[in-house]
Amino acid sequence: MRVVSGSAKGRPLKAVPGTGTRPTTDKVKEALFSMIGPYFEGGTALDLFAGSGGLGIEALSRGMDKAVFVDLEPKSIEVIRINLTATKLENQAAVYRNDAGRALKALAKRSTTFDLVFLDPPYRMKNGDELMLTMHELELLEHGATIVLEYESKHLYPEQFGPFEQTRKALYGETAVSIYHYAPHASEDGESSTAEEEGLHE
């Protein structure tokens, strides 16, 4: 694994040891970012089932200002920190060991909001849509935010639910990637209100 493009292009990334995590391949990562970027002019990203941190690190390399990495496994947290140091992006990142649901509540208490979210839960979990609705309820998403949901291709998520609309879907073998656009119904126009960057604290 490596960083595909941007400021840290070509930097190798350490994988989480064992078979518990399923890193997004460079090929899928490159295709994914061509759908949502490929580059960004600032913003804050959330890598919720971060694993090795490859998706959030790629987003930082391609122009995101900040990224929050969350994983429950201690081995993953250790690898994320190693990879952030190797790519010299550690000053733009916050890393938390927690499960997804508790992490979202903690982030909401900090009034953190996100422009880009990566959801790559273990394939046995089929609750990506529920997690997205939780983010909406907790007001964690900027208007117009992009959510990248990666899941087993045999599973189907709805094209539209709540304030989320699927704008792209791609299949890569046993992996499916759906891109969702966040547009709360309460909004009167297509523009986000001022998206002030929120401070991140451990």
Side-chain angles (χ1 to χ4, degrees):
M1 289 195 307
R2 62 188 174 88
V3 179
V4 176
S5 192
S7 64
K9 180 179 179 179
R11 295 283 174 90
L13 296 175
K14 181 179 173 68
V16 180
T19 57
T21 62
R22 184 193 65 260
T24 303
T25 65
D26 290 348
K27 179 184 174 185
V28 172
K29 194 159 52 176
E30 192 160 12
L32 187 161
F33 278 90
S34 73
M35 288 191 280
I36 64 171
Y39 300 99
F40 309 103
E41 296 180 3
T44 303
L46 171 63
D47 196 346
L48 191 56
F49 297 86
S52 66
L55 292 173
I57 287 171
E58 188 75 32
L60 287 173
S61 179
R62 290 171 184 252
M64 279 278 161
D65 290 324
K66 301 172 185 173
V68 174
F69 298 82
V70 177
D71 205 284
L72 188 57
E73 296 300 322
K75 286 188 293 187
S76 291
I77 296 300
E78 181 184 350
V79 168
I80 291 164
R81 294 190 188 281
I82 290 169
N83 285 336
L84 284 166
T85 301
T87 52
K88 297 182 168 57
L89 294 168
E90 65 270 32
N91 292 333
Q92 295 170 249
V95 183
Y96 302 105
R97 180 174 175 248
N98 211 333
D99 76 7
R102 283 200 291 267
L104 293 178
K105 290 174 185 172
L107 290 165
K109 286 179 182 175
R110 293 183 170 88
S111 301
T112 308
T113 56
F114 299 99
D115 305 279
L116 174 63
V117 177
F118 297 104
L119 282 177
D120 186 12
Y123 279 176
R124 68 179 182 276
M125 296 175 66
K126 314 291 188 197
N127 64 338
D129 47 355
E130 294 170 23
L131 288 168
M132 289 163 64
L133 289 170
T134 298
M135 289 179 213
H136 166 63
E137 290 160 9
L138 293 173
E139 299 182 348
L140 284 166
L141 301 171
E142 289 287 343
H143 185 100
T146 297
I147 296 87
V148 178
L149 179 60
E150 194 171 327
Y151 54 98
E152 189 175 22
S153 55
K154 288 186 286 189
H155 186 68
L156 289 177
Y157 279 106
E159 292 184 13
Q160 192 156 10
F161 59 95
F164 299 97
E165 182 177 359
Q166 181 181 288
T167 57
R168 298 284 296 274
K169 180 179 177 179
L171 299 175
Y172 307 94
E174 67 172 18
T175 298
V177 176
S178 286
I179 312 297
Y180 285 92
H181 177 76
Y182 176 66
H185 301 308
S187 171
E188 294 177 3
D189 57 33
E191 295 297 319
S192 172
S193 56
T194 54
E196 282 192 29
E197 293 298 323
E198 298 288 350
L200 295 174
H201 305 284
E202 289 289 355

